[in-house]
Structure formats: structure tokens, C-alpha cells
Amino acid sequence: MRNWSTAINESVADALEKNDRKRVELIVQRYGAAETITLRVFNNKGQLLATSNPQQDGQVTNWLVVTGIHAALEKREAQGVAKGVLSNDDRLFIAQPIVRDGQLLGALRMSITLQQFQRQFAIVIWTVLGTLVFTVLLCTFISEWLARSLSRPIQTMKNFAIRLGSGHFGDKLQIRQSNELDQLAIELNRMSERLASLDQERRAFLANVSHELRTPISNVLVTVEALRNGAVADPGVSDRFLKNVEDESKRLSRLIDDLLNLGRLEAGVVLLEKQNIHLPGLIGRAVRAMETRMQNSQISAQVNVAELQIQGDSERLLQAFINLLDNAIKHSAANSQIFIAGYREGKQAVITIRDQGQGIKDSDLPRIFEQFYTGDRSRKGRGVGLGLAIAKRIIEAHGGSITVSTKVGHGSTFTIYLPI
Ligand SMILES: Nc1ncnc2c1ncn2[C@@H]1O[C@H](COP(=O)(O)OP(=O)(O)OP(=O)(O)O)[C@@H](O)[C@H]1O
Ligand SMILES: [Mg+2]
């Protein structure tokens, strides 16, 4: 309003300077044409020169009492809210002195109904409010949509995890999003696969255990029954039967020991009693333990182990070596030899156990370290397939590794690496 009236003020000042009353009238009519605006120009005595509202203004005799005029005639600008000159409505007004070269030419007063102003204000407020509400709604909508698109896969994953938790292993999660959620889904799928295979292993293990336990027990039961039914009478037969019972019981006892060992190794419960071990001494013990077996099968052992000290649990390592020697003897023909060597290679002790037996078939090779895997089930004196599984776990618990190389018909070499 102020900018507006200042602009008009300039034009009016020009006209007044030239004493052009017609032009002043014209300006006032033009800019005060709107119903809501009243524009008035006074001379420097406070007498009305021109007004945009001539009908009403004719009734006013003293303009000096109208708010702002007095100030303007004292070369001060006044503005604010005041009652209309003749009406009773609130109006916003501005009164300015018309000055040229420091000389007061007159005064200009412009007023506008507050109602109009308020109406415009209301429009602005409603527009702002409307925009605000619209923005809030839009934001809500967008965030809802975002949250949904984020939470849907999370929900899916949650359900998937619940299914996994309730034992549905091996299911697959389908989530196609190239972000972290995708990674998570991949990891969950991997976990599911792993759990499925562990579950599979566990079932197979249980089946194997029960099968292996049942066989010797039913053998014992059958034999005892035969003894009771009269076989005792014949000393030759009863001896054979009792021997059979003894063998099966030993087998059972060994199997249970093996299972317990394996279980402990698997669960990581076994605390290795680490001590300094004199490697040739340990291997000597293992060979001595198998001496009778070797003599019975006319097998000899060639031992060549360097003076090496390693750190480890001697009883467990002894068991690992015995398991390997047991295999070597079992698969060797009579009158053959077993070579045992031990030497240092960098920071490792390497122990090789080589036999001249029948070797391992290619089809068996990848599986021999598995629990309960045995190559030829029909062989006499067969084991249950735990020997290598136990040996491997013991060696791995020592931070070492075991490998095998073999040639069918020529023999096998098991190589053990142990950190020094
Ligand atoms: N030195 C070897 N020569 C030929 N085959 C072998 C040799 N060592 C292991 N194998 C094969 O690997 C399989 C697994 O061996 P592992 O020692 O685990 O079981 P096992 O000897 O059959 O039974 P266990 O040791 O429990 O009495 C054997 O059944 C055999 O087929
Ligand atoms: Mg074995």
C-alpha cells in the first residue's frame, strides 16, 4: 500500500507543481476507481482537492480531524487502522505529505477497507493451509508407500525365519530387490540350505548309529539263544559261540567309544591337553600298540621319523595314528610292508603312512573321511567307518590337515600335516 501511494504521490506532486488540477483529478479517479479503495488529495492547508468518493466527501467540513491528515501536513507520514471517514467500518490507511524541493504541496491519503484485506488474507491463509494439508497428505501417502515397500520383504523374511525356526529347512526365499535386503535374503537362503544339509546329515547319522548298534546286539542275542537251546552241550560249538559273543561285545564297546569321541570332538567339548610331544616316541607307541595285529598278518613296519617336537594332545594324536595304522593293516596283503615317515617341512611336521594294500577306488576317495563311510561292506572284519572321521577331526582340532593319495592295486599314502 505504501509503495503504491508513494508512486501515486510522485505523479500528483508533478501535477501540483504545474498547478494542473485536472490531472490531479484524473489520477485520483484512475487509482481510486476500485470500490474498496478511497484516494484523496489535499492542498497544504488541508482542503480537499480531489477524491475518489465525491458523493460522501462533500459532507465533510473539517478534514484536519481525519486520522493522518494532520501529521501529513506536518510532513510526517502516518499509517495504521482507522474507522472510515463517514462509514463505520475498519480501514487500513496511509497519509503522506506531498513534497517537492522541501516545500509542502499538499497531502495524500489512501485507505482500503480492512474487510477486503481480511478477505485477501483469508484467501492466502486458506491457500497456505490447503497446501499444508495437501503436503501432509502427500507425505503420509509417500511414507506409507515407502514403508510398505520396505516392510513387505521384511515381513516375508520374518515369516521365512519363523518357518526355518519351526524346522522347515531348505525352503527358498524369493526377493528381487537390488539392495541390502537382497543380500539378507541370499544369506537366509544360504542358511536354510546349510540347515537342510545339516539336518540331512543328522538323520543319516542317527540311522547309521542305530543300524550299527543293532547288528552286534542282535548277533549276541541270537548266539545266546542258540547256546541256551543246547549249543552249550557241544564244547567246540559253545567255544565258537562264546568267542562270537565276546567279539561282538568288543565291537560294540569300541563303537560306543568311537561315537562318544566323535560326539565330543564334534561338539568342541574336548579340551586338548596340549603338551610337548616327542614325535618319534608317539609314533613308536602307536606302532607298538599294533604290533600283535601286524605279526598276525605277517606285516612289518618301516619307521623313519625325524627328531621333532610338536605341541598337542598325545592321547588323541595316538588314537588318530592308530586308526590310520589299523586301516593300513586291514587293507594290506600278508607279507607286505607299511612305511611310516616323519619329517619337517617349514613350520610343519609331516607324517606319512604308506601301505602296499589294494588302494582306494576313485568312487570311494571323496567320501572316506565321512562318518560311517566304508568302502567295501562285504569285507571280513569290516569296521563301521568312523576311524578316518575321528582321525581327521583330531588332526583338525590341532590346526593340522590330512590328505590321501592312492593307486588301486598299489597302496595308499595318508599324509598328516601338524603345526610345530
Ligand atoms: N589304507 C587304506 N587302504 C585302502 N582303503 C582304505 C584305507 N584306509 C581307509 N580305506 C577306506 O576308507 C574307508 C573308511 O575308513 P575308516 O577308517 O573311516 O573306516 P573303517 O576302517 O571301515 O572302519 P573303522 O575304522 O571305524 O573300524 C574304509 O572302509 C576303506 O574302504
Ligand atoms: Mg578304519
Side-chain angles (χ1 to χ4, degrees), residues 3-246:
N3 289 344
W4 195 5
S5 83
T6 309
I8 300 171
N9 194 327
E10 278 303 308
S11 312
V12 174
D14 286 346
L16 283 182
E17 217 174 14
K18 294 179 196 138
N19 222 353
D20 188 350
R21 292 280 297 273
K22 266 240 169 65
R23 187 158 165 69
V24 174
E25 190 71 34
L26 212 72
I27 293 169
V28 169
Q29 292 313 325
R30 186 191 297 163
Y31 293 104
E35 220 177 287
T36 50
I37 296 171
T38 313
L39 194 60
R40 298 182 180 100
V41 175
F42 304 87
N43 67 12
N44 55 6
K45 305 269 170 349
Q47 289 158 332
L48 189 63
L49 291 182
T51 172
S52 62
N53 192 0
Q55 289 104 319
Q56 281 190 15
D57 287 4
Q59 304 166 30
V60 183
T61 45
N62 183 9
W63 283 100
L64 290 175
V65 295
V66 174
T67 337
I69 301 293
H70 195 74
L73 292 179
E74 286 177 348
K75 289 195 189 174
R76 276 187 290 121
E77 187 184 285
Q79 53 181 310
V81 179
K83 291 274 177 237
V85 176
L86 288 164
S87 57
N88 209 22
D89 57 343
D90 284 330
R91 297 177 77 95
L92 210 59
F93 79 92
I94 179 159
Q96 285 180 328
I98 304 171
V99 180
R100 261 295 140 88
D101 305 325
Q103 206 190 334
L104 183 72
L105 299 180
L108 179 133
R109 190 179 191 275
M110 186 168 144
S111 69
I112 176 169
T113 56
L114 213 54
Q115 214 182 3
Q116 162 78 8
F117 221 70
Q118 278 160 346
R119 206 175 304 139
Q120 240 153 28
F121 219 72
I123 290 173
V124 170
I125 284 179
W126 281 116
T127 315
V128 169
L129 273 181
T131 316
L132 209 72
V133 168
F134 178 74
T135 313
V136 166
L137 283 178
L138 197 70
C139 284
T140 315
F141 176 76
I142 289 175
S143 55
E144 177 75 14
W145 178 78
L146 265 178
R148 252 173 220 272
S149 70
L150 267 179
S151 76
R152 209 176 307 122
I154 291 177
Q155 190 69 30
T156 319
M157 284 186 196
K158 189 186 114 192
N159 292 339
F160 182 73
I162 290 174
R163 276 179 66 74
L164 267 189
S166 62
H168 290 87
F169 306 132
D171 287 6
K172 269 223 169 337
L173 193 60
Q174 296 294 354
I175 285 191
R176 284 283 131 252
Q177 268 179 343
S178 49
N179 55 19
E180 292 86 348
L181 287 181
D182 206 23
Q183 285 298 312
L184 187 60
I186 290 173
E187 287 309 320
L188 276 177
N189 279 338
R190 203 169 288 162
M191 186 170 99
S192 167
E193 256 169 47
R194 178 92 187 97
L195 281 173
S197 91
L198 278 178
D199 194 47
Q200 180 66 36
E201 268 172 40
R202 185 182 60 91
R203 282 169 208 270
F205 181 80
L206 264 183
N208 279 323
V209 168
S210 19
H211 176 258
E212 294 299 337
L213 287 177
R214 210 171 39 216
T215 320
I217 288 176
S218 52
N219 279 351
V220 168
L221 284 178
V222 167
T223 317
V224 168
E225 205 170 308
L227 282 170
R228 180 180 286 149
N229 288 345
V232 191
D234 184 335
V237 174
S238 81
D239 256 14
R240 199 148 47 78
F241 278 19
L242 283 175
K243 174 87 173 61
N244 197 3
V245 170
E246 195 184 341

Side-chain angles (χ1 to χ4, degrees), residues 342-369:
Y343 52 93
R344 186 187 179 124
E345 203 178 86
K347 287 190 164 167
Q348 287 183 314
V350 184
I351 300 111
T352 60
I353 296 172
R354 179 160 69 87
D355 62 54
Q356 299 174 315
Q358 83 261 37
I360 304 166
K361 279 188 292 204
D362 276 354
S363 55
D364 291 334
L365 204 56
R367 302 194 57 192
I368 56 170
F369 290 102

